Amino acid sequence: MFNFEVTVLGASGGPDAGDTQCFMVRPSGSRDLRSICVDGGAGVGQIARILSQAKDMSRPQLIESFYFNDFEPADQFFDPRTPVKLGFPTDLVENVSSNTWKRALQFYKGIKEYYITHAHLDHIAAMVMNSPMAYDGECISGKKLWGLPFTMDAIKRHVFNDLIWPDLLDGTASRLKLDSLAELRLHNCETFPQWDIIPLKVHHGFGVSEPSSRIYSTIYLFIDKHSGSGIVICGDLEQDHASDKLPLLEEAWDYIAKHISHRRLKGIIIECSSWTATQQTELYGHMSPTYLVPALNRLQRQYQEPDALRDLEVVITHVKKAISDKDPRLIILKELRDQAHATQLHVRFSIAIQGYTFQF
Amino acid sequence: MFNFEVTVLGASGGPDAGDTQCFMVRPSGSRDLRSICVDGGAGVGQIARILSQAKDMSRPQLIESFYFNDFEPADQFFDPRTPVKLGFPTDLVENVSSNTWKRALQFYKGIKEYYITHAHLDHIAAMVMNSPMAYDGECISGKKLWGLPFTMDAIKRHVFNDLIWPDLLDGTASRLKLDSLAELRLHNCETFPQWDIIPLKVHHGFGVSEPSSRIYSTIYLFIDKHSGSGIVICGDLEQDHASDKLPLLEEAWDYIAKHISHRRLKGIIIECSSWTATQQTELYGHMSPTYLVPALNRLQRQYQEPDALRDLEVVITHVKKAISDKDPRLIILKELRDQAHATQLHVRFSIAIQGYTFQF
């Protein structure tokens, strides 16, 4: 039985813009349009495209690639056992009628909360640019923005300030409300009260202008209180450095292993921006297979049971478009599978592809 | 004879994100990939899609719409006399080989300068998110960001600050250099020294949190020194208010009429965000046909010659995706033509459509 349904609105790690990270999450099998999003790098424009593309399910499913071929067959990107389908769940699409843009707006109206991992533009841009729609006619809806204080402070101060974007947070009548979460603290989800969401702070590189200052990001752990099942959705992150007094990723794994049994852990959506050959100094606060496979092995060890993560769904997000003959997502997928196999880590790797819905 | 070649990388007025305003400008018939961009709401990702879509010119040209139909025939969006074609000029595309992503990167590498109209996210997001590529391997290239001081200050302080985006402006070795222009002052274009570019400041609504503070934007006037021909590319703007001590749009028209003869004025790319029925209070610093047609009439009057703007190419950008049965771009195009006809304004109206190249 599934508990979580995650539609990928965007999962690019750049440097292209427009289709960057945004995951729409709802309870599996839910028949209304309410949802919450983790990050806001894609939004209503991408929803419209997904609705349009998924209309004709009889066509072979091809993924925009722009490398060896402009489009690649979809099945290359997923583990064959992984429950994943093109488009939004059929039940939802049947609920909305009319033209594609109006349908997309109904989906947008259904987004009640955003959980932001960090304030870098590729994780918030579409959420920001879509926000005037929350004030518009048929589409009026309140939305809540959540995140750890470092994220919320940056968004408030540097984005909704009339200079970078109209200050739509202003005033008590605002349709957008911003609120901070506390690290490692259970937060009861307002839209889906059967879920607790726990933000775990992680490292994400260093400042450029102040190389001694750390940049932070967030992992969200979702726990379904009825079933005890959970998923993990990560923002950008890097492996802890040997010199870190606080090994944050280690702490996050520790928290996850303590609060959710490995049998109940249904999936991890995690970044792997660059391929194995990338030097550590050129990861800029991100993961490569070299670091991600050992990190997953460490999580497995936290469970103190060999093979604890067998058949766990690991969905890779935020792959950077690199200069390459072959799609870097396919290169990284193979590298991850090979390196995991070599270390007896038997998880199922897939790539987060825009427009596809994963069941966990 | 044409002097300016403008490829539309993005022209949406939101609330969708990813394909917002960016115009790639080069001298007509130039055979290398050097270009400058006005605004940066779209970028390398959109370039890749344009290259991919334009590969098969034998297919009927359909424009993504998502209203009455998901796709509409292209010719509805252009004046039949307007010189406009799908894709980048053939000469340029023949210059680059290899896969679509590498080709797109060559085009991105060719962008030497950005002229930003204002710092709102829909005008800068892709430029920002693409920027790490300026440091990457084969793609290394210096880029200059230009704008009036209010724009440059906002970008420097609120975007490239490690919180919203890594501070890639930092240090003398930076590949991105930011510099301010002076209002109403001739600026000699570094990439195409045959061009002078003049920034004209205009109004763009009021702050939300401080409703008494004006928000500003920029019109860029391009003058080709050899031919004396010019084009005007506008950022978001609104009609001057009756209470304005400085009627900035009036001043801009005055400057344009004084510095370029109406016979040499080849085109105006200008926003018309909302349709005629929109109340003035709901324009939020933007144009509707109600205001744009009189504004163009005023420019015509500045030339002190009746019918001075006959056959001028007026290309409409930044139409907002509204709740509608029909594509708002087609509604606005008809309204503009009808209202212009009624006032004896004989310009040629077209819509700025992503992926098309206009000649001026």
Side-chain angles (χ1 to χ4, degrees), chain B residues 304-327:
Chain B
Q304 299 182 318
E305 191 178 315
D307 220 18
L309 300 187
R310 178 174 282 275
D311 288 338
L312 177 72
E313 302 288 350
V314 178
V315 180
I316 301 302
T317 176
H318 207 273
V319 174
K320 289 186 188 177
K321 277 204 169 68
I323 301 169
S324 176
D325 293 322
K326 192 176 171 182
D327 193 317

PDB file of all heavy atoms in Angstrom, chain B residues 304-327:
ATOM      1  N   GLN B 304       5.425  65.283 -34.816  1.00  0.00           N
ATOM      2  CA  GLN B 304       4.833  66.452 -35.481  1.00  0.00           C
ATOM      3  C   GLN B 304       4.608  66.204 -36.974  1.00  0.00           C
ATOM      4  O   GLN B 304       4.808  67.092 -37.798  1.00  0.00           O
ATOM      5  CB  GLN B 304       5.711  67.686 -35.272  1.00  0.00           C
ATOM      6  CG  GLN B 304       5.837  68.000 -33.780  1.00  0.00           C
ATOM      7  CD  GLN B 304       6.640  69.234 -33.498  1.00  0.00           C
ATOM      8  OE1 GLN B 304       7.683  69.464 -34.114  1.00  0.00           O
ATOM      9  NE2 GLN B 304       6.162  70.062 -32.591  1.00  0.00           N
ATOM     10  N   GLU B 305       4.240  64.995 -37.257  1.00  0.00           N
ATOM     11  CA  GLU B 305       3.886  64.684 -38.638  1.00  0.00           C
ATOM     12  C   GLU B 305       2.796  63.620 -38.593  1.00  0.00           C
ATOM     13  O   GLU B 305       2.994  62.571 -37.979  1.00  0.00           O
ATOM     14  CB  GLU B 305       5.118  64.145 -39.388  1.00  0.00           C
ATOM     15  CG  GLU B 305       4.873  64.053 -40.873  1.00  0.00           C
ATOM     16  CD  GLU B 305       6.108  63.567 -41.632  1.00  0.00           C
ATOM     17  OE1 GLU B 305       7.224  64.054 -41.362  1.00  0.00           O
ATOM     18  OE2 GLU B 305       5.938  62.689 -42.496  1.00  0.00           O
ATOM     19  N   PRO B 306       1.655  63.893 -39.223  1.00  0.00           N
ATOM     20  CA  PRO B 306       0.581  62.906 -39.162  1.00  0.00           C
ATOM     21  C   PRO B 306       1.040  61.619 -39.844  1.00  0.00           C
ATOM     22  O   PRO B 306       1.793  61.661 -40.815  1.00  0.00           O
ATOM     23  CB  PRO B 306      -0.571  63.567 -39.931  1.00  0.00           C
ATOM     24  CG  PRO B 306       0.045  64.650 -40.750  1.00  0.00           C
ATOM     25  CD  PRO B 306       1.303  65.064 -40.061  1.00  0.00           C
ATOM     26  N   ASP B 307       0.634  60.514 -39.271  1.00  0.00           N
ATOM     27  CA  ASP B 307       0.952  59.211 -39.849  1.00  0.00           C
ATOM     28  C   ASP B 307       2.452  58.889 -39.804  1.00  0.00           C
ATOM     29  O   ASP B 307       2.935  58.052 -40.580  1.00  0.00           O
ATOM     30  CB  ASP B 307       0.449  59.161 -41.306  1.00  0.00           C
ATOM     31  CG  ASP B 307      -0.163  57.791 -41.611  1.00  0.00           C
ATOM     32  OD1 ASP B 307      -0.494  57.068 -40.654  1.00  0.00           O
ATOM     33  OD2 ASP B 307      -0.289  57.450 -42.795  1.00  0.00           O
ATOM     34  N   ALA B 308       3.166  59.543 -38.865  1.00  0.00           N
ATOM     35  CA  ALA B 308       4.622  59.334 -38.780  1.00  0.00           C
ATOM     36  C   ALA B 308       4.971  57.878 -38.476  1.00  0.00           C
ATOM     37  O   ALA B 308       6.037  57.402 -38.861  1.00  0.00           O
ATOM     38  CB  ALA B 308       5.218  60.241 -37.701  1.00  0.00           C
ATOM     39  N   LEU B 309       4.090  57.167 -37.786  1.00  0.00           N
ATOM     40  CA  LEU B 309       4.424  55.793 -37.388  1.00  0.00           C
ATOM     41  C   LEU B 309       3.855  54.747 -38.346  1.00  0.00           C
ATOM     42  O   LEU B 309       3.842  53.556 -38.025  1.00  0.00           O
ATOM     43  CB  LEU B 309       3.931  55.522 -35.956  1.00  0.00           C
ATOM     44  CG  LEU B 309       4.499  56.422 -34.856  1.00  0.00           C
ATOM     45  CD1 LEU B 309       4.067  55.925 -33.492  1.00  0.00           C
ATOM     46  CD2 LEU B 309       6.019  56.527 -34.918  1.00  0.00           C
ATOM     47  N   ARG B 310       3.384  55.188 -39.513  1.00  0.00           N
ATOM     48  CA  ARG B 310       2.805  54.215 -40.458  1.00  0.00           C
ATOM     49  C   ARG B 310       3.789  53.065 -40.709  1.00  0.00           C
ATOM     50  O   ARG B 310       4.964  53.280 -40.976  1.00  0.00           O
ATOM     51  CB  ARG B 310       2.447  54.902 -41.785  1.00  0.00           C
ATOM     52  CG  ARG B 310       1.882  53.908 -42.819  1.00  0.00           C
ATOM     53  CD  ARG B 310       1.403  54.589 -44.074  1.00  0.00           C
ATOM     54  NE  ARG B 310       0.096  55.230 -43.894  1.00  0.00           N
ATOM     55  CZ  ARG B 310      -1.078  54.597 -44.032  1.00  0.00           C
ATOM     56  NH1 ARG B 310      -1.116  53.309 -44.324  1.00  0.00           N
ATOM     57  NH2 ARG B 310      -2.199  55.268 -43.865  1.00  0.00           N
ATOM     58  N   ASP B 311       3.260  51.869 -40.577  1.00  0.00           N
ATOM     59  CA  ASP B 311       4.009  50.621 -40.832  1.00  0.00           C
ATOM     60  C   ASP B 311       5.143  50.353 -39.844  1.00  0.00           C
ATOM     61  O   ASP B 311       5.959  49.441 -40.069  1.00  0.00           O
ATOM     62  CB  ASP B 311       4.537  50.584 -42.272  1.00  0.00           C
ATOM     63  CG  ASP B 311       3.392  50.368 -43.255  1.00  0.00           C
ATOM     64  OD1 ASP B 311       2.350  49.846 -42.823  1.00  0.00           O
ATOM     65  OD2 ASP B 311       3.535  50.747 -44.426  1.00  0.00           O
ATOM     66  N   LEU B 312       5.177  51.111 -38.771  1.00  0.00           N
ATOM     67  CA  LEU B 312       6.142  50.770 -37.713  1.00  0.00           C
ATOM     68  C   LEU B 312       5.801  49.387 -37.151  1.00  0.00           C
ATOM     69  O   LEU B 312       4.639  49.069 -36.911  1.00  0.00           O
ATOM     70  CB  LEU B 312       6.055  51.818 -36.590  1.00  0.00           C
ATOM     71  CG  LEU B 312       6.955  51.572 -35.373  1.00  0.00           C
ATOM     72  CD1 LEU B 312       8.418  51.843 -35.727  1.00  0.00           C
ATOM     73  CD2 LEU B 312       6.528  52.452 -34.194  1.00  0.00           C
ATOM     74  N   GLU B 313       6.838  48.577 -36.923  1.00  0.00           N
ATOM     75  CA  GLU B 313       6.629  47.264 -36.295  1.00  0.00           C
ATOM     76  C   GLU B 313       6.482  47.464 -34.786  1.00  0.00           C
ATOM     77  O   GLU B 313       7.422  47.929 -34.133  1.00  0.00           O
ATOM     78  CB  GLU B 313       7.824  46.332 -36.541  1.00  0.00           C
ATOM     79  CG  GLU B 313       8.173  46.077 -37.993  1.00  0.00           C
ATOM     80  CD  GLU B 313       7.165  45.178 -38.710  1.00  0.00           C
ATOM     81  OE1 GLU B 313       6.291  44.589 -38.052  1.00  0.00           O
ATOM     82  OE2 GLU B 313       7.269  45.091 -39.954  1.00  0.00           O
ATOM     83  N   VAL B 314       5.321  47.128 -34.251  1.00  0.00           N
ATOM     84  CA  VAL B 314       5.119  47.175 -32.803  1.00  0.00           C
ATOM     85  C   VAL B 314       4.905  45.739 -32.319  1.00  0.00           C
ATOM     86  O   VAL B 314       3.925  45.087 -32.684  1.00  0.00           O
ATOM     87  CB  VAL B 314       3.921  48.067 -32.417  1.00  0.00           C
ATOM     88  CG1 VAL B 314       3.720  48.055 -30.906  1.00  0.00           C
ATOM     89  CG2 VAL B 314       4.145  49.490 -32.921  1.00  0.00           C
ATOM     90  N   VAL B 315       5.854  45.271 -31.552  1.00  0.00           N
ATOM     91  CA  VAL B 315       5.830  43.868 -31.119  1.00  0.00           C
ATOM     92  C   VAL B 315       5.464  43.852 -29.631  1.00  0.00           C
ATOM     93  O   VAL B 315       6.145  44.459 -28.807  1.00  0.00           O
ATOM     94  CB  VAL B 315       7.197  43.188 -31.363  1.00  0.00           C
ATOM     95  CG1 VAL B 315       7.159  41.739 -30.903  1.00  0.00           C
ATOM     96  CG2 VAL B 315       7.569  43.269 -32.848  1.00  0.00           C
ATOM     97  N   ILE B 316       4.389  43.149 -29.339  1.00  0.00           N
ATOM     98  CA  ILE B 316       3.833  43.174 -27.978  1.00  0.00           C
ATOM     99  C   ILE B 316       4.439  42.053 -27.143  1.00  0.00           C
ATOM    100  O   ILE B 316       4.412  40.879 -27.528  1.00  0.00           O
ATOM    101  CB  ILE B 316       2.293  43.001 -28.025  1.00  0.00           C
ATOM    102  CG1 ILE B 316       1.681  44.141 -28.858  1.00  0.00           C
ATOM    103  CG2 ILE B 316       1.696  42.958 -26.629  1.00  0.00           C
ATOM    104  CD1 ILE B 316       1.993  45.531 -28.356  1.00  0.00           C
ATOM    105  N   THR B 317       4.955  42.415 -25.995  1.00  0.00           N
ATOM    106  CA  THR B 317       5.543  41.430 -25.082  1.00  0.00           C
ATOM    107  C   THR B 317       4.795  41.454 -23.740  1.00  0.00           C
ATOM    108  O   THR B 317       3.943  42.323 -23.496  1.00  0.00           O
ATOM    109  CB  THR B 317       7.050  41.719 -24.857  1.00  0.00           C
ATOM    110  OG1 THR B 317       7.584  40.793 -23.890  1.00  0.00           O
ATOM    111  CG2 THR B 317       7.278  43.130 -24.335  1.00  0.00           C
ATOM    112  N   HIS B 318       5.109  40.439 -22.901  1.00  0.00           N
ATOM    113  CA  HIS B 318       4.705  40.447 -21.498  1.00  0.00           C
ATOM    114  C   HIS B 318       3.189  40.367 -21.276  1.00  0.00           C
ATOM    115  O   HIS B 318       2.668  40.832 -20.265  1.00  0.00           O
ATOM    116  CB  HIS B 318       5.261  41.727 -20.827  1.00  0.00           C
ATOM    117  CG  HIS B 318       5.496  41.567 -19.354  1.00  0.00           C
ATOM    118  ND1 HIS B 318       4.510  41.788 -18.411  1.00  0.00           N
ATOM    119  CD2 HIS B 318       6.589  41.205 -18.656  1.00  0.00           C
ATOM    120  CE1 HIS B 318       5.013  41.587 -17.204  1.00  0.00           C
ATOM    121  NE2 HIS B 318       6.276  41.224 -17.324  1.00  0.00           N
ATOM    122  N   VAL B 319       2.475  39.729 -22.200  1.00  0.00           N
ATOM    123  CA  VAL B 319       1.044  39.505 -21.951  1.00  0.00           C
ATOM    124  C   VAL B 319       0.913  38.493 -20.811  1.00  0.00           C
ATOM    125  O   VAL B 319       1.590  37.459 -20.803  1.00  0.00           O
ATOM    126  CB  VAL B 319       0.342  38.979 -23.217  1.00  0.00           C
ATOM    127  CG1 VAL B 319      -1.111  38.610 -22.919  1.00  0.00           C
ATOM    128  CG2 VAL B 319       0.416  40.019 -24.332  1.00  0.00           C
ATOM    129  N   LYS B 320       0.059  38.817 -19.847  1.00  0.00           N
ATOM    130  CA  LYS B 320      -0.135  37.909 -18.710  1.00  0.00           C
ATOM    131  C   LYS B 320      -1.097  36.791 -19.092  1.00  0.00           C
ATOM    132  O   LYS B 320      -2.097  37.024 -19.761  1.00  0.00           O
ATOM    133  CB  LYS B 320      -0.719  38.672 -17.520  1.00  0.00           C
ATOM    134  CG  LYS B 320       0.246  39.619 -16.859  1.00  0.00           C
ATOM    135  CD  LYS B 320      -0.382  40.217 -15.597  1.00  0.00           C
ATOM    136  CE  LYS B 320       0.501  41.308 -15.027  1.00  0.00           C
ATOM    137  NZ  LYS B 320      -0.106  41.958 -13.840  1.00  0.00           N
ATOM    138  N   LYS B 321      -0.795  35.604 -18.616  1.00  0.00           N
ATOM    139  CA  LYS B 321      -1.735  34.504 -18.781  1.00  0.00           C
ATOM    140  C   LYS B 321      -2.897  34.747 -17.819  1.00  0.00           C
ATOM    141  O   LYS B 321      -2.750  34.631 -16.606  1.00  0.00           O
ATOM    142  CB  LYS B 321      -1.058  33.173 -18.443  1.00  0.00           C
ATOM    143  CG  LYS B 321      -0.256  32.585 -19.589  1.00  0.00           C
ATOM    144  CD  LYS B 321      -0.125  31.078 -19.428  1.00  0.00           C
ATOM    145  CE  LYS B 321       0.420  30.429 -20.669  1.00  0.00           C
ATOM    146  NZ  LYS B 321       1.828  30.783 -20.931  1.00  0.00           N
ATOM    147  N   ALA B 322      -4.059  35.103 -18.383  1.00  0.00           N
ATOM    148  CA  ALA B 322      -5.228  35.370 -17.557  1.00  0.00           C
ATOM    149  C   ALA B 322      -6.196  34.200 -17.636  1.00  0.00           C
ATOM    150  O   ALA B 322      -6.009  33.285 -18.440  1.00  0.00           O
ATOM    151  CB  ALA B 322      -5.900  36.645 -18.042  1.00  0.00           C
ATOM    152  N   ILE B 323      -7.206  34.226 -16.786  1.00  0.00           N
ATOM    153  CA  ILE B 323      -8.245  33.202 -16.842  1.00  0.00           C
ATOM    154  C   ILE B 323      -9.149  33.552 -18.022  1.00  0.00           C
ATOM    155  O   ILE B 323      -9.768  34.607 -18.045  1.00  0.00           O
ATOM    156  CB  ILE B 323      -9.041  33.172 -15.520  1.00  0.00           C
ATOM    157  CG1 ILE B 323      -8.082  32.884 -14.355  1.00  0.00           C
ATOM    158  CG2 ILE B 323     -10.162  32.146 -15.585  1.00  0.00           C
ATOM    159  CD1 ILE B 323      -8.692  33.098 -12.984  1.00  0.00           C
ATOM    160  N   SER B 324      -9.207  32.681 -19.013  1.00  0.00           N
ATOM    161  CA  SER B 324      -9.822  33.057 -20.290  1.00  0.00           C
ATOM    162  C   SER B 324     -10.158  31.806 -21.095  1.00  0.00           C
ATOM    163  O   SER B 324      -9.563  30.750 -20.899  1.00  0.00           O
ATOM    164  CB  SER B 324      -8.825  33.933 -21.066  1.00  0.00           C
ATOM    165  OG  SER B 324      -9.316  34.268 -22.341  1.00  0.00           O
ATOM    166  N   ASP B 325     -11.138  31.928 -21.981  1.00  0.00           N
ATOM    167  CA  ASP B 325     -11.388  30.829 -22.922  1.00  0.00           C
ATOM    168  C   ASP B 325     -10.440  30.916 -24.109  1.00  0.00           C
ATOM    169  O   ASP B 325     -10.020  29.917 -24.663  1.00  0.00           O
ATOM    170  CB  ASP B 325     -12.840  30.873 -23.419  1.00  0.00           C
ATOM    171  CG  ASP B 325     -13.807  30.564 -22.292  1.00  0.00           C
ATOM    172  OD1 ASP B 325     -13.485  29.691 -21.455  1.00  0.00           O
ATOM    173  OD2 ASP B 325     -14.861  31.220 -22.203  1.00  0.00           O
ATOM    174  N   LYS B 326     -10.122  32.162 -24.491  1.00  0.00           N
ATOM    175  CA  LYS B 326      -9.257  32.379 -25.652  1.00  0.00           C
ATOM    176  C   LYS B 326      -7.896  32.887 -25.181  1.00  0.00           C
ATOM    177  O   LYS B 326      -7.793  33.544 -24.137  1.00  0.00           O
ATOM    178  CB  LYS B 326      -9.941  33.432 -26.550  1.00  0.00           C
ATOM    179  CG  LYS B 326      -9.319  33.560 -27.933  1.00  0.00           C
ATOM    180  CD  LYS B 326     -10.094  34.547 -28.824  1.00  0.00           C
ATOM    181  CE  LYS B 326      -9.314  34.802 -30.107  1.00  0.00           C
ATOM    182  NZ  LYS B 326      -9.988  35.765 -30.984  1.00  0.00           N
ATOM    183  N   ASP B 327      -6.866  32.633 -25.954  1.00  0.00           N
ATOM    184  CA  ASP B 327      -5.514  33.090 -25.612  1.00  0.00           C
ATOM    185  C   ASP B 327      -5.509  34.619 -25.462  1.00  0.00           C
ATOM    186  O   ASP B 327      -5.823  35.340 -26.404  1.00  0.00           O
ATOM    187  CB  ASP B 327      -4.563  32.653 -26.731  1.00  0.00           C
ATOM    188  CG  ASP B 327      -3.099  32.801 -26.338  1.00  0.00           C
ATOM    189  OD1 ASP B 327      -2.752  33.832 -25.728  1.00  0.00           O
ATOM    190  OD2 ASP B 327      -2.304  31.895 -26.649  1.00  0.00           O
TER     191      ASP B 327
END
